[in-house]
Amino acid sequence: MGLKGEAKLLRVFIGESDRHGGRPLYEAIVLEARRMGLAGATVFKGFMGYGAHSKIHTAKILQLSEDLPVMVEIVDEEAKIQAFLPVLEGMMKEGLVTLEKVEVIRYQG
């Protein structure tokens, strides 16, 4: 697949303990993105953060959280990202989703 030039970057901010279909939500998102043929997805685990509920989630030993922040990034052409958004919406109960324009310089396997 050749992805070069203008594309979209989809970022999904969720919690590590969020689930969908019996598996971690971040895993379900990546597997569904792959099934739908999106160019690529990466999951990042955060050390600290908070969201809409303003509850701090941290990896500090004295405040060990079982729900650390997780971010999933997916890059592809706009049409494919737009087609994925309704699917993503159906998977999420809460979280933050952002979309921005990016320029792909290199995409090679």
Side-chain angles (χ1 to χ4, degrees):
M1 171 198 294
L3 181 63
K4 194 159 182 149
E6 192 172 303
K8 291 291 182 178
L9 168 61
L10 175 66
R11 283 195 180 117
V12 182
F13 298 85
I14 54 178
E16 183 180 30
S17 67
D18 292 343
R19 301 193 65 80
H20 176 76
R23 63 174 24 127
L25 178 56
Y26 62 85
E27 183 179 319
I29 291 169
V30 170
L31 292 174
E32 186 61 23
R34 184 170 185 249
R35 188 191 71 75
M36 291 182 66
L38 277 79
T42 302
V43 177
F44 300 91
K45 184 175 179 179
F47 291 101
M48 186 175 193
Y50 71 93
H53 300 294
S54 296
K55 181 181 177 200
I56 295 287
H57 302 271
T58 181
K60 288 184 176 182
I61 197 72
L62 295 177
Q63 303 171 325
L64 194 57
S65 174
E66 295 177 3
D67 190 25
L68 291 173
V70 172
M71 179 178 63
V72 181
E73 286 193 346
I74 302 172
V75 176
D76 209 324
E77 55 193 46
E78 184 171 9
K80 285 187 168 184
I81 294 290
Q82 290 295 334
F84 185 68
L85 288 175
V87 175
L88 177 64
E89 186 64 32
M91 299 172 85
M92 295 180 64
K93 291 185 176 112
E94 59 184 23
L96 171 68
V97 177
T98 65
L99 189 60
E100 61 186 85
K101 183 174 82 170
V102 294
E103 184 176 351
V104 175
I105 305 299
R106 180 181 182 156
Y107 177 69
Q108 234 172 326

